[in-house]
Amino acid sequence: MENRRVRMTKRMIQEAVLELLETTGPDKLTVTDVCQRADVNRSTFYAYYTEIRDVIREIEDDLLQRLPEPPPAQVPDRQFQEALTAFCDYVQRNERLFRILIVQRDSRRFNQRLVDAVMERYARPAAGPAGLRDRYAYVYCVSGVIGVMREWIEGRFPMASAEFAALLLKMSAGATAG
């Protein structure tokens, strides 16, 4: 377990990385830039991370671990829409992180990790060929939702979470029908 001082130092480094990512591409970030922004020594950085990608990965991990809990199995559409609304609220509350990780970085790796996390947390597995078709439909829907969500974030949330969640549910229903 990390002590408070370690958590604070890592948070400063993570915040510095996020600030720099808002203006600089991840390939142009240097450990020196991060250390200057975080006001820490290089040795302090290397005590916790081996490279900047490790910092970004830890930020992503934290964001994905805090995804809202899924609804119970076999829930009616209304409860699923409430869960989707909670997910959209989560995105809004963490706008800066999602804007950096999805919109500004346009990271296929993070998008795939998000798809995987949503699949793991929310998908209801089915067996046999029908299960495979359901999985493909679900991956298609989740990937599409992330694309539409990117537009929603870029537009600075022009729809309320509940309205956006209803739209996502309606669009996804067509993909999973049949």
Side-chain angles (χ1 to χ4, degrees), residues 19-152:
E19 287 173 11
L20 291 167
L21 281 173
E22 287 179 305
T23 58
T24 308
D27 298 336
K28 296 186 187 303
L29 284 183
T30 67
V31 171
T32 301
D33 294 336
V34 171
C35 291
Q36 287 174 347
R37 180 66 61 107
D39 196 24
V40 298
N41 293 321
R42 287 177 68 86
S43 60
T44 301
F45 178 93
Y46 288 115
Y48 304 116
Y49 304 104
T50 55
E51 58 186 358
I52 292 172
R53 277 186 276 157
D54 294 339
V55 180
I56 295 170
R57 177 76 179 212
E58 192 168 275
I59 292 167
E60 292 173 355
D61 288 347
D62 181 58
L63 188 68
L64 295 174
Q65 287 171 358
R66 293 184 295 122
L67 287 173
E69 287 301 314
Q74 308 301 325
V75 296
D77 284 347
R78 185 172 153 268
Q79 283 181 297
F80 186 74
Q81 184 171 343
E82 289 172 8
L84 192 53
T85 300
F87 179 80
C88 293
D89 288 340
Y90 177 73
V91 170
Q92 277 191 298
R93 282 192 312 274
N94 293 280
E95 174 186 2
R96 180 177 180 228
L97 291 174
F98 279 98
R99 181 173 300 285
I100 291 168
L101 297 174
I102 291 178
V103 178
Q104 288 176 256
R105 280 187 54 227
D106 193 21
S107 171
R108 285 182 53 112
R109 188 178 54 78
F110 177 70
N111 287 355
Q112 186 58 52
R113 290 189 70 210
L114 183 56
V115 167
D116 293 344
V118 169
M119 289 288 296
E120 181 179 311
R121 195 169 273 215
Y122 295 100
R124 303 286 180 242
L132 185 58
R133 283 191 298 277
D134 288 349
R135 176 173 170 70
Y136 288 157
Y138 200 81
V139 168
Y140 175 79
C141 289
V142 171
S143 298
V145 164
I146 290 172
V148 175
M149 190 163 284
R150 178 188 171 124
E151 290 293 316
W152 187 57

